[in-house]
Amino acid sequence: MSFPIQSDPNLKSDSPAPTKIIQSRSQYHTCHIRVPDLERPVPAIRVGREYYSFFKAVQSAEKTLKITAKLGNLGEDTVITQTPKAYIVWVKEPDASPC
């Protein structure tokens, strides 16, 4: 399945926080993390040395971009991945620790 959302590293964005679009499963690892404000571990992905918690699964590429734009305007770094049924939005957790 192709990923219709494309990123251009040279394109300037008005969003104060960036969104990474990951097109290959080999670019991230799934895991669970602990975040300071929650009692239980949450589903997450690790991209490099950064952790991103699950935020929302969305079927529409257009809606996915709207959600990440809103989060970006709030200062949240996000990642978009894709499954066969949906786009997944993840939010960066700078204070997370692995389980």
Side-chain angles (χ1 to χ4, degrees), residues 1-5 21-25 28 58-59 61 80-90:
M1 174 179 258
S2 68
F3 203 99
I5 301 173
I21 299 172
I22 298 180
Q23 297 186 32
S24 172
R25 175 69 178 87
Y28 66 93
V58 184
Q59 291 184 345
I80 300 171
T81 61
Q82 185 181 24
T83 67
K85 295 185 179 183
Y87 299 97
I88 311 299
V89 178
W90 308 86

Side-chain angles (χ1 to χ4, degrees), residues 5-93:
I5 301 173
Q6 299 293 320
S7 63
D8 180 353
N10 299 319
L11 187 64
K12 293 276 184 179
S13 173
D14 292 334
S15 297
T19 295
K20 294 178 185 176
I21 299 172
I22 298 180
Q23 297 186 32
S24 172
R25 175 69 178 87
S26 65
Q27 295 176 288
Y28 66 93
H29 301 280
T30 58
C31 60
H32 281 79
I33 58 172
R34 292 195 180 278
V35 291
D37 54 337
L38 298 175
E39 289 182 27
R40 295 184 180 191
V42 295
I45 59 173
R46 182 175 49 88
V47 180
R49 294 183 177 189
E50 299 175 324
Y51 291 101
Y52 295 81
S53 63
F54 173 80
F55 182 74
K56 190 170 193 169
V58 184
Q59 291 184 345
S60 159
E62 183 178 327
K63 188 172 181 181
T64 302
L65 292 174
K66 286 180 182 179
I67 290 169
T68 57
K70 285 182 183 180
L71 290 168
N73 288 333
L74 294 172
E76 299 286 350
D77 291 8
T78 55
V79 167
I80 300 171
T81 61
Q82 185 181 24
T83 67
K85 295 185 179 183
Y87 299 97
I88 311 299
V89 178
W90 308 86
V91 176
K92 187 175 181 179
E93 296 289 353

